[in-house]
Amino acid sequence: MTDDGHLRPEAVAPAAGPPLLVETFARGQVTDLRHSFAACAEAAGLRDQRLDDFVLAVNELITNAVRHGGGAGRLRLWRVGATLVCEVSDGGGGIGAERLASNERPTPDTAGGWGLWLAGQLSDSMVVTSGPAGTTVEITTALDGAGRVADPAGAGERAE
C-alpha cells in the first residue's frame, strides 16, 4: 500500500488458484496478448459469445493501460471454480474519482470513456482500484454463463 492508502498494482493480493496467464505488455503487444488471452480463456472452458465478450472486455482494459496508464501494464488470468478472473494493472496516474463514480453509458458523441464502461458491461463483475501509483481492474465471467441475466428491456444480457 502507498502512503495515500491506495493499492499499487504490484501490491494486490495474490490470486487464488494457479495463474493461467501472466504477462507484462507494452504498446505494440496488445494484439498478440489478446490472441494469447483468448486461447487461454477458451482452454479454460469459456465458449461462444461469452468468450467473445470477455476477450473484448480485456482488450479494452489492456488498450486503456497503454493509452492512459503509462504505456505498459500487467495481465493476470486465473480460474476460481467455474469463474474466470482477469486482472489488468498499470502504473499510470490513476482514474479520477468522478469518472470512477459514474456507471452511465457514455453519450454517442463522446470520444473517450467507452473502454471501462464496455468492460463492465461485458463481464459479470468489475472492481477498479485506482490512485496516483496506478490502476488495477479485476473482471470476472462465469464459465457456465450463470453470472448474467436477461435484460428486461430486451437489449441482450447485463452483468448482475
Side-chain angles (χ1 to χ4, degrees), residues 150-156 158:
D151 182 359
R158 65 173 170 80

Side-chain angles (χ1 to χ4, degrees), residues 55-136:
V55 169
L56 179 55
V58 169
N59 186 70
E60 291 297 325
L61 296 177
I62 60 180
T63 300
N64 278 356
V66 298
R67 283 189 182 157
H68 310 293
R74 180 174 179 226
L75 178 142
R76 294 190 312 154
L77 174 68
W78 66 96
R79 184 176 175 165
V80 178
T83 301
L84 281 183
V85 182
C86 182
E87 176 187 272
V88 176
S89 56
D90 66 52
I95 302 170
E98 183 177 306
R99 171 67 188 104
L100 286 177
S102 175
N103 289 330
E104 292 182 25
R105 178 182 178 163
T107 60
D109 60 344
T110 302
W114 287 90
L116 200 57
W117 179 84
L118 191 58
Q121 296 300 303
L122 296 173
S123 57
D124 294 337
S125 69
M126 179 170 77
V127 176
V128 180
T129 305
S130 191
T135 299
T136 298

Side-chain angles (χ1 to χ4, degrees), residues 34-51:
R34 182 180 64 241
H35 291 301
S36 295
F37 176 84
C40 286
E42 186 172 29
L46 200 55
R47 301 279 184 265
D48 304 321
Q49 189 63 49
R50 304 244 338 136
L51 174 63

Side-chain angles (χ1 to χ4, degrees), residues 15-54:
L20 302 173
L21 180 65
V22 177
E23 291 286 335
T24 57
F25 59 90
R27 290 188 206 286
Q29 297 174 304
V30 171
T31 300
D32 289 341
L33 181 56
R34 182 180 64 241
H35 291 301
S36 295
F37 176 84
C40 286
E42 186 172 29
L46 200 55
R47 301 279 184 265
D48 304 321
Q49 189 63 49
R50 304 244 338 136
L51 174 63
D52 293 344
D53 287 351
F54 205 55

